[in-house]
């Protein structure tokens, strides 16, 4: 069989995590319309009779303007070392930017098979797609147009990726889909609901600390106790809302998704805490799990 690691890279918000979730067939990474949703390297594994692909989801390429961003960008750079193929995800409906051109040059120059997934074709014109394919046809890379949202041409993309992988044994057990713990996913679900509900800079300055993640003795209910860390007192006030309305609403959405994910009831307690400018503090980044070797 064929097996290997595939780094999934591209600009922030291109649709990398959505595409990985569809390819793997399970939600291994959170998704939102805001750039910089993914902060960590996350593995999503797809196993079939013919191949096993270990996708490495990465933080999207974005101008680093604080220490957290720099750590995220390093995570992405490091993720491309030693992979068997690179899947460059391009938001085709947004057009090819100079950043895309430079990044595609960089990855195709690495002498690793590179596949360009032109995604979001469900919301764009065919003529734009054709002109983009023409422009990219000179690159040393296979081009596959897809829609992750409408699950269009994803099987074709998997065929192309697997064809580029070396022959080898499975890297993971048959039933493994992610390298992340349930506790990590629970904290990510909380962050996803905040990304979806709140506007402007607030969601980007949020981190989650899980204080308790335990199954009650009856085996039916998970007790989850977490802190939502924000950067400023006015952010805390917005997160909590009038009479606690906002935090109640966002916690209720998160709880419902956590229950779906865990297959059990969840008893969720949330607190909002302030850690001033944590995105620029090396020690706080470490405490919050965003150190470089994370
Ligand atoms: N219409 C359409 N929207 C999509 C498609 N794929 C992703 N999206 C949307 O694009 C937005 C970004 O998706 P993500 O998967 O979070 O993008 P990402 O590249 O992982 O972003 P970062 O983690 O921030 O780098 C979300 O609102 C998705 O719903 C698609 O095929 N079609
Ligand atoms: Mg992502």
């Amino acid at each position: 069989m064929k097996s290997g690691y595939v780094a999934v890279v591209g600009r922030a918000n291109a649709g990398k995590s959505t595409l990985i979730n569809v390819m793997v067939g399970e939600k291994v990474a959170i998704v939102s319309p805001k750039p910089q949703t993914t902060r960590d390297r996350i593995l999503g594994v797809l196993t079939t009779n013919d191949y096993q692909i270990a996708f490495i989801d990465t933080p999207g390429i974005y101008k680093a303007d604080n220490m957290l961003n720099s750590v995220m960008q390093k995570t992405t750079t490091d993720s491309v070392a030693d992979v068997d193929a690179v899947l460059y995800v391009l938001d085709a409906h947004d057009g090819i930017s100079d950043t895309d051109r430079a990044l595609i040059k960089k990855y195709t120059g690495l002498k690793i098979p590179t596949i360009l997934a032109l995604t979001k074709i469900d919301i764009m014109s065919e003529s734009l797609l054709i002109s983009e394919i023409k422009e990219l046809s000179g690159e040393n890379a296979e081009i596959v147009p897809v829609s992750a949202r409408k699950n269009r041409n994803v099987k074709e993309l998997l065929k192309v990726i697997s064809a580029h992988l070396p022959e080898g044994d499975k890297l993971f057990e048959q039933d493994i889909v992610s390298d992340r713990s349930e506790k990590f996913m629970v904290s990510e679900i909380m962050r996803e609901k905040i990304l979806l509900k709140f506007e402007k800079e607030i969601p980007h300055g949020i981190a989650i600390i899980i204080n308790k993640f335990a199954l009650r003795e009856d085996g039916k209910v998970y007790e989850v106790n977490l802190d939502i860390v924000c950067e400023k007192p006015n952010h805390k006030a917005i997160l909590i809302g009038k009479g606690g309305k906002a935090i109640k609403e966002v916690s209720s959405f998160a709880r419902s998704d956590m229950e779906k994910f865990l297959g059990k009831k969840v008893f969720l307690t949330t607190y909002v805490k302030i850690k001033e400018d944590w995105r620029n503090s090396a020690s706080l980044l470490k405490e919050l799990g965003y150190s470089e070797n994370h």
Side-chain angles (χ1 to χ4, degrees), residues 20-21 23-29 42-47 52-56 172-181 185 261:
I20 292 175
N21 290 340
M23 290 190 292
V24 170
E26 273 189 48
K27 184 160 172 170
V28 294
I42 298 170
L43 215 61
V45 185
L46 170 65
T47 310
Q52 184 175 64
I53 311 175
F55 293 103
I56 304 170
F172 299 90
E173 299 284 331
Q174 182 86 18
D175 54 354
I176 298 278
V177 291
S178 171
D179 64 337
R180 291 304 181 144
S181 64
M185 271 315 286
F261 171 72

Side-chain angles (χ1 to χ4, degrees), residues 16-17 30 37-38 57-58:
K16 300 176 291 301
S17 300
I30 60 165
T37 298
T38 305
D57 194 5
T58 62

Side-chain angles (χ1 to χ4, degrees), residues 70-275:
S70 318
V71 172
M72 283 163 55
Q73 299 308 304
K74 187 169 184 307
T75 301
T76 300
T77 311
D78 291 351
S79 298
V80 182
D82 297 329
V83 292
D84 300 289
V86 172
L87 177 63
Y88 188 89
V89 179
L90 195 147
D91 179 342
H93 110 285
D94 195 34
I96 307 170
S97 71
D98 287 343
T99 310
D100 288 315
R101 288 185 188 97
L103 288 168
I104 291 168
K105 281 266 171 301
K106 179 176 135 184
Y107 292 120
T108 51
L110 293 176
K111 310 280 174 253
I112 310 168
T114 304
I115 297 120
L116 304 177
L118 271 49
T119 193
K120 307 194 190 179
I121 59 166
D122 54 300
I123 49 169
M124 66 185 294
S125 72
E126 207 170 305
S127 57
L128 176 61
L129 181 61
I130 291 168
S131 75
E132 289 179 357
I133 293 173
K134 260 192 202 146
E135 175 180 341
L136 295 169
S137 62
E139 302 294 340
N140 183 22
E142 298 226 32
I143 303 168
V144 186
V146 291
S147 164
R149 186 172 283 176
K150 294 274 159 77
N151 203 340
R152 266 161 57 187
N153 222 26
V154 174
K155 275 202 187 119
E156 185 56 38
L157 175 62
L158 286 169
K159 252 191 230 159
V160 172
I161 298 169
S162 58
H164 283 286
L165 296 182
E167 289 288 333
D169 291 335
K170 281 196 194 90
L171 305 158
F172 299 90
E173 299 284 331
Q174 182 86 18
D175 54 354
I176 298 278
V177 291
S178 171
D179 64 337
R180 291 304 181 144
S181 64
E182 290 183 327
K183 185 175 157 186
F184 173 82
M185 271 315 286
V186 160
S187 77
E188 287 287 89
I189 289 169
M190 188 74 232
R191 202 162 61 77
E192 181 185 61
K193 300 309 164 209
I194 294 170
L195 277 160
L196 295 174
K197 181 169 168 61
F198 295 96
E199 290 302 317
K200 301 212 179 90
E201 83 271 38
I202 294 177
H204 294 300
I206 293 292
I208 308 295
I209 301 176
I210 305 270
N211 299 312
K212 185 176 183 185
F213 176 75
L215 189 58
R216 278 187 191 159
E217 264 184 24
D218 63 9
K220 289 181 184 152
V221 180
Y222 270 99
E223 282 194 29
V224 179
N225 171 314
L226 58 84
D227 292 340
I228 300 166
V229 177
C230 66
E231 292 181 311
K232 292 173 188 164
N234 64 322
H235 289 180
K236 178 173 172 174
I238 295 169
L239 281 162
I240 292 174
K242 247 198 185 138
K245 191 166 172 277
I247 187 75
K248 255 187 222 141
E249 200 180 295
V250 79
S251 298
S252 157
F253 280 133
R255 182 172 48 77
S256 151
D257 253 30
M258 289 172 193
E259 289 182 340
K260 263 188 233 141
F261 171 72
L262 295 165
K264 308 242 188 232
K265 285 258 166 252
V266 168
F267 183 76
L268 175 66
T269 334
T270 53
Y271 301 89
V272 182
K273 290 198 173 153
I274 303 164
K275 288 188 194 282

